[in-house]
Amino acid sequence: MLLLTWSALSTVLVGLIIPRLTAADTATSRAQVALDTLQTWYNATSGLWDTCGWWNGANCMTVIADLAAIDPSVSDTANYVFDNTLRMAPAHNPNPGPENQVHSRDGVAANSSEWLDSAYDDDAWWALAWIAAYDVTNDDTYLGLAQGIFSSLTKAWGTRCGGGGLQWSSTSSYINAITNELFLTVAAHLANRASSDSERDTYIGWAQKEWDWFAAQGFIGSNYTINDGLLDNCQNNGQTVWSYNQGVILGGLVELNRAAPNDTYLESANKIAQAAIMTLSDANLVIHDVCEPNCAPDATQFKGIFIRNLHMLHQDSPNDLYKKVIEACANSIWEYDRNYLNQLGVNWAGLVASIDASTHSSALDALVAAVTI
Ligand SMILES: *[C@@H]1O[C@H](CO)[C@@H](O)[C@H](O)[C@H]1NC(C)=O
Ligand SMILES: *[C@@H]1O[C@H](CO)[C@@H](O)[C@H](O)[C@H]1NC(C)=O
Ligand SMILES: *[C@@H]1O[C@H](CO)[C@@H](O)[C@H](O)[C@H]1NC(C)=O
Ligand SMILES: *[C@@H]1O[C@H](CO)[C@@H](O)[C@H](O)[C@H]1NC(C)=O
């Protein structure tokens, strides 16, 4: 008779089962699986992701680049997307400039004006996406697109509130936080990728000018959360504390601090990050936006943007709280917010019906952040 004690049996089982589970379910393999799922929405004809919009597409491309930067096994997918999106997506710009009505990209040099849709935040998302593509390819074409987009944004620098800042779009007078946070972060990113000292100083100058202006306006409330924008009289409008508005500024200050070190940048970033976590996380440290579960089509993207930027802050100013938040979000998404097709939803604490390429790519940001935490 073979008598196997429980502990002997579990040793056998552990030996057999655990390695397989580990191989199939690491932070990296989760992100890889979710990348494959994201690409089921990628439309080779449009160079964008079906079920989500133009600016969301920039964020889909960014998260793919961010994964490729830490996992070379996905670089073929990433390079294919950069190349195809560069050629195909401009024809699907929802609001191209008047001079840009005819799109025939094949064989024509990349032109940053094709990525402008008159909403300055949208333009800046594409600048960040091309910077992320540049970071993993070193292809100057991509950096040039971002530089060209930024150059056009500088022409929108305003004079109304405190003599500066950008309004939301060429047709909206709303001065909102996201447009200005994006302007700051694109400038700071470009400073760290400049090819000469004078170019670098120009970008640093814009980033500092934006930050000094931003901090002097009413965007940041007394508890360090950032509201959506300013009233016509330039006061804080008290509108929703969206997660992405607590996020983009973090990456901007991290990049600015890398370009032109000043302790106040990371001090401010840490205050904003901690206020955001206090305000937006649930008892399990999972981040939420108030719109859940009906966040389409824009706010579905926000939380991933927050986590992507919190991860940047954690790299330069590590904090166990940030690590816990990123891991809590990634684990909760994988356990509770994933359907049988490995599609990821809008409520990271639990699966709800609304799933699209935006909810999915946003959740993928958290899975990617968890790979290098
Ligand atoms: C892909 O994009 C093209 C161009 O916009 C569109 O005509 C087509 O319907 C899209 N495919 C799917 C499956 O949505
Ligand atoms: C980019 O495209 C715009 C609009 O078509 C055009 O006016 C401009 O000259 C182009 N720039 C370059 C460098 O080709
Ligand atoms: C650091 O940044 C703060 C805020 O922008 C500014 O007031 C201060 O002068 C800067 N310090 C130095 C040494 O540049
Ligand atoms: C901070 O202030 C905002 C309002 O601007 C509010 O929504 C949020 O709940 C506050 N956070 C905390 C932790 O009190």
Side-chain angles (χ1 to χ4, degrees):
M1 181 173 119
L2 178 64
L3 206 128
L4 211 51
T5 63
W6 173 243
S7 80
L9 182 63
S10 36
T11 306
V12 172
L13 288 177
V14 164
L16 287 176
I17 292 169
I18 297 299
R20 279 185 53 204
L21 278 181
T22 314
D25 189 18
T26 62
T28 304
S29 68
R30 289 175 179 183
Q32 290 167 342
V33 166
L35 171 63
D36 288 345
T37 309
L38 177 61
Q39 289 309 88
T40 64
W41 282 291
Y42 187 67
N43 183 327
T45 306
S46 65
L48 297 166
W49 287 260
D50 290 332
T51 72
C52 76
W54 171 252
W55 79 271
N56 309 84
N59 281 279
C60 293
M61 201 172 91
T62 300
V63 72
I64 291 172
D66 286 352
L67 181 57
I70 53 175
D71 178 8
S73 78
V74 307
S75 60
D76 284 353
T77 302
N79 290 335
Y80 160 71
V81 166
F82 305 150
D83 178 66
N84 190 69
T85 293
L86 179 65
R87 286 185 294 110
M88 307 307 274
H92 301 273
N93 181 330
N95 189 25
E99 70 283 3
N100 254 351
Q101 296 299 337
V102 179
H103 300 275
S104 173
R105 284 284 308 112
D106 277 311
V108 179
N111 184 329
S112 61
S113 73
E114 297 174 328
W115 300 88
L116 308 177
D117 75 350
S118 92
Y120 303 132
D121 52 348
D122 293 5
D123 302 348
W125 289 119
W126 279 109
L128 289 177
W130 290 118
I131 290 167
Y134 169 75
D135 283 350
V136 289
T137 59
N138 253 323
D139 186 331
D140 284 331
T141 301
Y142 302 152
L143 186 61
L145 285 176
Q147 290 167 333
I149 293 168
F150 182 74
S151 168
S152 74
L153 290 175
T154 62
K155 300 186 181 104
W157 185 259
T159 53
R160 254 184 323 134
C161 295
L166 278 78
Q167 59 185 39
W168 193 1
S169 74
S170 61
T171 53
S172 165
S173 62
Y174 182 34
I175 297 182
N176 59 359
I178 194 61
T179 306
N180 287 285
E181 294 183 26
L182 284 164
F183 184 87
L184 189 167
T185 200
V186 173
H189 276 81
L190 290 176
N192 289 318
R193 291 154 183 83
S195 56
S196 71
D197 286 349
S198 68
E199 200 186 294
R200 178 185 169 84
D201 288 347
T202 302
Y203 289 124
I204 290 173
W206 275 116
Q208 285 176 332
K209 187 165 152 176
E210 173 66 72
W211 170 241
D212 290 345
W213 174 85
F214 188 91
Q217 306 308 307
F219 294 104
I220 306 175
S222 56
N223 66 13
Y224 278 94
T225 52
I226 299 175
N227 293 97
D228 194 64
L230 304 181
L231 297 165
D232 284 345
N233 68 6
C234 303
Q235 312 246 294
N236 184 315
N237 68 7
Q239 294 300 306
T240 307
V241 176
W242 293 112
S243 59
Y244 77 156
N245 275 327
Q246 326 307 308
V248 171
I249 194 76
L250 306 180
L253 290 169
V254 165
E255 289 275 343
L256 179 54
N257 185 61
R258 288 177 191 168
N262 178 328
D263 289 345
T264 66
Y265 298 148
L266 294 186
E267 278 166 24
S268 297
N270 280 307
K271 282 182 189 160
I272 292 165
Q274 284 156 35
I277 292 167
M278 290 273 291
T279 304
L280 302 175
S281 68
D282 66 21
N284 300 316
L285 291 179
V286 175
I287 300 293
H288 294 274
D289 275 305
V290 291
C291 53
E292 293 168 17
N294 300 310
C295 301
D298 290 330
T300 44
Q301 205 70 47
F302 292 174
K303 296 189 296 292
I305 292 162
F306 173 74
I307 294 292
R308 183 196 305 157
N309 285 280
L310 183 67
H311 181 261
M312 284 180 70
L313 179 59
H314 183 65
Q315 286 178 320
D316 285 28
S317 186
N319 185 319
D320 199 47
L321 175 64
Y322 307 158
K323 179 177 190 293
K324 284 184 179 142
V325 167
I326 292 167
E327 286 175 343
C329 290
N331 288 334
S332 182
I333 287 164
W334 198 254
E335 287 297 320
Y336 305 118
D337 189 30
R338 176 172 56 111
N339 71 12
Y340 70 102
L341 293 171
N342 288 315
Q343 297 171 329
L344 311 172
V346 70
N347 181 346
W348 292 358
L351 189 61
V352 291
S354 65
I355 293 184
D356 57 25
S358 175
T359 68
H360 184 87
S361 59
S362 179
L364 178 53
D365 273 310
L367 299 185
V368 170
V371 173
T372 52
I373 191 68

